[in-house]
Amino acid sequence: MSKIILTGDRPTGKLHVGHYVGSLKRRVELQNSGEFDEIYIMIADAQALTDNADNPEKVRQNIIEVALDYLSCGLDPAKSTLFIQSQIPELTELSFYYMNLVTVSRLQRNPTVKSEIQMRGFQASIPVGFFTYPISQAADITAFKATTVPVGEDQLPMLEQCKEIVHKFNSVYGETLVDPAVLLPDNKACLRLPGIDGKAKMSKSLGNCIYLSDTPEDVKKKIMSMFTDPNHLRVQDPGQVEGNPVFIYLDAFCRDEHFERYCPDYSCLQEMKDHYSRGGLGDVKVKKFLNQVIQEELEPIRNRRKEFEKDIPEVYRILREGSKKAEAAAAKTLSEVKQAMKIDYFNDAALIAEQSKKYQ
Ligand code: TRP
């Protein structure tokens, strides 16, 4: 069986370092591993509209931002198909048929939907489209026969629900859809990077993000203002490492070689953490080190972005070509689905013969 990746992001803002360590970096590694037959990376604009119906301009503006973030991280259109969800009508058609296989109470139990409803204050006024987006996400994944879906931890409930739809479909209509495997980051700190304010999640609406496209000065300012252990008032005080965002970021970003380059007092992160816990290590020193580590990671991304920004029509061309290719793949799956569901009337010579016999 082919090894196929599908994943994507909603274009509701620029991508940040949480997206990067949670999924983007891994995608680029997977792309370059050469182990996959096909890689589809989707800008999920239709999904973004499920809770931004009154703000299509926001979605429209952010398509290019996300595409630039993808390309600058190293996703290569020669190896990965980058495309826009709304340009693939087959995805909507698949969603409509999958809706028959999912109950309202199952959707209500989806933990991500549940917490997003709370966060957005939707309660009973939840748009039907938003409520059913896990089904549309199952269409995204299955349309490309994805075997591997690299995502952040918050997407786990979507994958579970997708697998249920696959099983249900295959048991009712016969083996048709591919059961996808989720791929989470193996570094625990990367699963969910907190915001610079220490809040559980980096999110645009909380204003606590470091963006991939931030200038070096902005990144530095944000890191130097980061929330740390609030009880670590004087340098000599023992500090807390667990749950301290500065150390969580170091867990996510730093490698031993960074110490040689930027902070030779220590040989590895554990030594630095031990010193912080004992007392005698100030937050400013740790933050300066973190800044150097993150700047090193972001610099090539920033430079590639500048290059792509010079030719925006080319970026749209990449998306258009990718969407064309993606549509062909989705159309093939849709026709298999329709055949399995017995709604391929005009291709079914046996059906036509049988019906004519009945009326002879
Ligand atoms: N829900 C994802 C997000 O919020 C975007 C997405 C849409 C997606 N369809 C997908 C991710 C299919 C993985 C697979 O970023």
Side-chain angles (χ1 to χ4, degrees):
M1 193 168 74
S2 307
K3 290 178 76 177
I4 300 173
I5 287 179
L6 175 114
T7 186
D9 302 274
R10 296 180 188 195
T12 50
K14 299 170 174 190
L15 301 182
H16 52 61
V17 296
H19 293 116
Y20 180 72
V21 295
S23 174
L24 271 176
K25 190 177 179 178
R26 185 72 169 282
R27 288 180 207 172
V28 176
E29 286 163 8
L30 294 170
Q31 167 194 273
N32 295 336
S33 73
E35 276 182 35
F36 289 86
D37 301 289
E38 283 163 69
I39 301 174
Y40 295 96
I41 310 287
M42 177 180 76
I43 301 183
D45 63 336
Q47 189 177 105
L49 286 167
T50 64
D51 64 329
N52 287 283
D54 53 355
N55 201 354
E57 192 57 31
K58 171 167 127 189
V59 174
R60 186 179 170 87
Q61 294 297 327
N62 280 306
I63 299 253
I64 193 74
E65 294 298 337
V66 172
L68 284 167
D69 285 330
Y70 283 169
L71 293 164
S72 51
C73 283
L75 287 174
D76 174 356
K79 299 180 186 155
S80 298
T81 305
L82 309 183
F83 71 99
I84 305 180
Q85 186 183 29
S86 63
Q87 305 305 299
I88 321 297
E90 287 79 359
L91 298 177
T92 329
E93 201 172 334
L94 283 173
S95 304
F96 190 70
Y97 296 129
Y98 294 171
M99 282 186 190
N100 304 334
L101 307 175
V102 181
T103 64
V104 170
S105 69
R106 175 62 183 90
L107 282 170
Q108 280 167 334
R109 271 186 282 117
N110 183 308
T112 306
V113 175
K114 235 164 131 176
S115 76
E116 286 179 334
I117 289 173
Q118 247 171 16
M119 230 169 69
R120 293 169 171 75
F122 275 151
Q123 282 98 22
S125 62
I126 176 174
V128 173
F130 180 84
F131 185 58
T132 57
Y133 92 75
I135 301 175
S136 123
Q137 193 151 334
D140 302 335
I141 294 167
T142 53
F144 300 96
K145 298 198 161 71
T147 51
T148 308
V149 184
V151 282
E153 189 189 31
D154 61 325
Q155 296 297 308
L156 265 180
M158 299 300 149
L159 263 291
E160 247 164 63
Q161 186 139 25
C162 173
K163 289 165 84 70
E164 284 174 27
I165 291 173
V166 169
H167 296 157
K168 181 94 194 203
F169 189 101
N170 288 347
S171 75
V172 176
Y173 302 115
E175 275 307 306
T176 313
L177 303 177
V178 175
D179 193 1
V182 63
L183 191 61
L184 293 176
D186 31 12
N187 176 339
K188 218 175 119 245
C190 297
L191 278 178
R192 181 166 294 203
L193 207 65
I196 56 171
D197 57 358
K199 295 231 170 75
K201 200 177 169 182
M202 198 174 265
S203 115
K204 188 174 180 245
S205 49
L206 296 173
N208 60 5
C209 306
I210 298 176
Y211 293 102
L212 293 170
S213 50
D214 276 346
T215 63
E217 297 73 33
D218 283 342
V219 172
K220 181 162 186 200
K221 228 188 288 164
K222 288 179 181 180
I223 291 175
M224 298 314 287
S225 74
M226 262 177 87
F227 180 85
T228 64
D229 172 5
N231 300 316
H232 186 237
L233 298 174
R234 291 164 305 174
V235 172
Q236 63 268 34
D237 292 339
Q240 187 163 340
V241 168
E242 288 80 45
N244 183 330
V246 175
F247 283 98
I248 298 176
Y249 282 31
L250 282 173
D251 277 326
F253 281 97
C254 107
R255 299 182 296 274
D256 291 352
E257 68 205 66
H258 290 127
F259 285 95
E260 273 166 55
R261 278 204 281 288
Y262 305 123
C263 200
D265 295 355
Y266 311 98
S267 67
C268 65
L269 185 54
Q270 194 54 49
E271 280 182 15
M272 184 180 235
K273 285 182 176 176
D274 290 344
H275 192 181
Y276 192 83
S277 311
R278 272 199 315 275
L281 173 57
D283 285 316
V284 170
K285 182 164 173 176
V286 187
K287 286 178 173 177
K288 280 191 167 153
F289 174 61
L290 174 64
N291 177 54
Q292 282 165 311
V293 170
I294 292 198
Q295 299 284 2
E296 182 182 306
E297 189 87 20
L298 295 187
E299 197 193 43
I301 297 176
R302 216 178 268 133
N303 292 341
R304 268 194 300 264
R305 197 180 219 275
K306 280 197 196 104
E307 287 308 304
F308 285 109
E309 282 172 356
K310 287 182 191 156
D311 194 355
I312 294 296
E314 168 64 9
V315 178
Y316 280 105
R317 199 193 59 78
I318 289 168
L319 295 175
R320 174 146 45 99
E321 288 305 304
S323 300
K324 220 193 273 171
K325 187 169 165 205
E327 185 175 10
K332 185 162 175 284
T333 305
L334 178 63
S335 95
E336 290 163 12
V337 160
K338 289 172 95 167
Q339 193 182 353
M341 292 179 68
K342 299 182 170 293
I343 52 175
D344 61 334
Y345 315 113
F346 307 135
N347 295 335
D348 192 346
L351 168 74
I352 298 168
E354 179 198 332
Q355 295 302 325
S356 23
K357 215 161 104 202
K358 205 160 87 186
Y359 287 100
Q360 286 325 304

